[in-house]
Amino acid sequence: MKRWLPSSLLSGMLFVLWLLLNQSLDPAHLLLGTVLAVVAPLLARTLMQPIGYPRLAKPIILIRLLGMALVEIVHSAITVSRLILFPKPDGMNSQFIKIPLDLRNPYGLALLSCLINSTPGTVWVEILPNRHELVLHVFDLHSEQWWVDTIKTRYEKPIIDIFHEEVHKENPP
Amino acid sequence: MNEMETIPLWAAALLVSLLILGGSIILIGALGLMRLPDFYQRIHGPAITVTLGAGCVLIASMLYFTVLQSRLVLHELLITVFVLMTAPIVSMLIIRAAVYRDLRARKRDSGVESGGIYRFPEQE
Amino acid sequence: MISLLVLAINYALICVVIAMLFCTVRLLIGPAAHDRVLALDTLWMCGMLLALILGMRFGSQIYFETALLIALLGFVSTIALAKFLMRGEIIE
């Protein structure tokens, strides 16, 4: 099972993608989708070689995190649009801030960057290579410590939990 | 547009509010792109166009065709997932290109390595 | 209600067109090259939304394929431009 279906999540998503693209539930399309879902992860396995496919330890936390991020996106989109329409008289305090990160998993970092960049008002610039600190650009900064606390407790901690098991599994002695 | 008569009232009301909200958000995002003073603020303008504006229009399109053809039309989900996955990459690459170009133009190569975070807008 | 729906679709259409106009202004006057790339990316996104709203206006599903293609091409071209700006040696 593990050998022929290395990532059930990826296979399922490819299957759904094929059906959505063709907009049909014909048996022929079901068959083609199954072939795609089995063959593509097998062919792409060598691309993922050093770390392997991501394993979600706790999908429930991922769903809750995505819901929280959706609410946050709508909320901050409204904030940013109010700032654009009615600019403050003394100008916005747009700055770069630094946030120290504990997260090391590449998939976790990718998820974190997607969530942060999707939220209007914050843009992920880069991770400073030698000290593992994240540089963010914030549209209207009121308190730097608040941002550090928010990112670390509301985003980073759930992501560490989601990918937690994989860290132990993928690093054999 | 005769087939539009078959749309029930609740769907029409939802569609109207989604479309008006989406159109306004798209307009506000582009307005921010046009009139904010410097680049590092300007990059936050299109972010609301991409997330909330595109989201509203995509949900409206899904709902419209689902109601109009009275079957489930969900293929706009493909565009939604694609946009949500690629927009962060695009904004990250653009702001990183801007930061590196500004560092190079000001001959401050040490900014990246030493972590003294770059503060450009004050210098302009 | 149905005429209100037609009105709302037209309103969204006009909003997207004005947004594209704003992006074009930024594309023409943008002081630095990365401003122009950002404006171009927003222009691609507005073009995709324009195709979607036109599809609703005419009640046709052909426009979905257009929107998907515009989204794909916009992503690839913006990535290429941003990569060139980051690696190229040209400094304004």
Side-chain angles (χ1 to χ4, degrees), chain A residues 95-172:
Chain A
Q95 279 194 1
F96 295 98
I97 58 173
K98 270 193 294 193
I99 295 175
L101 281 185
D102 301 322
L103 186 64
R104 291 291 189 277
N105 186 303
Y107 295 116
L109 287 174
L111 179 61
L112 183 65
S113 75
C114 267
L115 291 183
I116 287 180
N117 263 343
S118 296
T119 311
T122 50
V123 177
W124 167 300
V125 182
E126 63 179 346
I127 290 183
L128 295 176
N130 42 7
R131 43 174 75 200
H132 213 269
E133 281 175 330
L134 160 68
V135 180
L136 277 188
H137 185 263
V138 181
F139 186 53
D140 190 20
L141 184 73
H142 47 88
S143 137
E144 188 170 343
Q145 192 56 41
W146 184 84
W147 276 104
V148 174
D149 290 344
T150 307
I151 298 284
K152 285 202 80 76
T153 57
R154 292 177 66 182
Y155 287 94
E156 194 187 4
K157 200 183 288 287
I159 292 179
I160 289 179
D161 286 343
I162 289 170
F163 292 99
H164 187 62
E165 267 185 0
E166 191 213 2
V167 177
H168 295 296
K169 213 186 285 175
E170 298 291 335
N171 289 331

Side-chain angles (χ1 to χ4, degrees), chain C residues 17-88:
Chain C
V17 171
I18 296 175
M20 290 177 87
L21 208 65
F22 287 168
C23 295
T24 316
V25 170
R26 181 49 73 192
L27 183 67
L28 291 179
I29 68 173
H34 37 258
D35 281 301
R36 294 170 206 259
V37 175
L38 183 64
L40 201 61
D41 179 55
T42 315
L43 207 54
W44 277 109
M45 189 56 68
C46 288
M48 188 206 84
L49 293 173
L50 189 70
L52 276 176
I53 298 174
L54 274 180
M56 292 171 70
R57 177 84 172 75
F58 296 126
S60 150
Q61 294 223 34
I62 301 291
Y63 288 88
F64 164 75
E65 327 273 331
T66 319
L68 192 59
L69 278 180
I70 291 176
L72 284 167
L73 284 182
F75 172 63
V76 172
S77 69
T78 312
I79 289 292
L81 277 173
K83 219 43 186 172
F84 173 71
L85 284 188
M86 200 152 57
R87 294 282 179 78

Side-chain angles (χ1 to χ4, degrees), chain A residues 11 13 21 23 31 36-37 40 43-44 46-47 50 54 60-61 68 86 111 116 134 148 157-158 164 166 169 172:
Chain A
S11 299
M13 287 183 73
L21 205 55
Q23 292 192 69
L31 184 67
L36 183 71
L43 288 181
T46 48
L47 290 178
I60 308 287
I61 301 183
M68 192 272 288
F86 311 106
L111 179 61
I116 287 180
L134 160 68
V148 174
K157 200 183 288 287
H164 187 62
E166 191 213 2
K169 213 186 285 175

Side-chain angles (χ1 to χ4, degrees), chain B residues 56-124:
Chain B
C56 282
V57 172
L58 284 162
I59 293 174
S61 173
M62 243 185 287
L63 183 65
Y64 180 80
F65 285 112
T66 302
V67 171
L68 200 64
Q69 306 186 351
S70 47
R71 67 186 179 91
L72 213 54
V73 178
L74 286 181
H75 58 200
E76 274 88 358
L77 273 182
L78 284 179
I79 299 186
T80 313
V81 170
F82 185 78
V83 165
L84 281 184
M85 277 167 58
T86 56
I89 305 174
V90 166
S91 63
M92 184 179 72
L93 269 179
I94 290 179
I95 198 171
R96 198 180 283 183
V99 164
Y100 285 174
R101 281 165 65 89
D102 277 349
L103 283 178
R104 254 182 295 166
R106 296 194 168 85
K107 303 269 190 297
R108 290 203 325 186
D109 295 328
S110 61
V112 184
E113 289 301 319
S114 70
I117 337 177
Y118 6 82
R119 326 179 160 266
F120 299 119
E122 292 98 304
Q123 297 177 345
E124 294 186 3

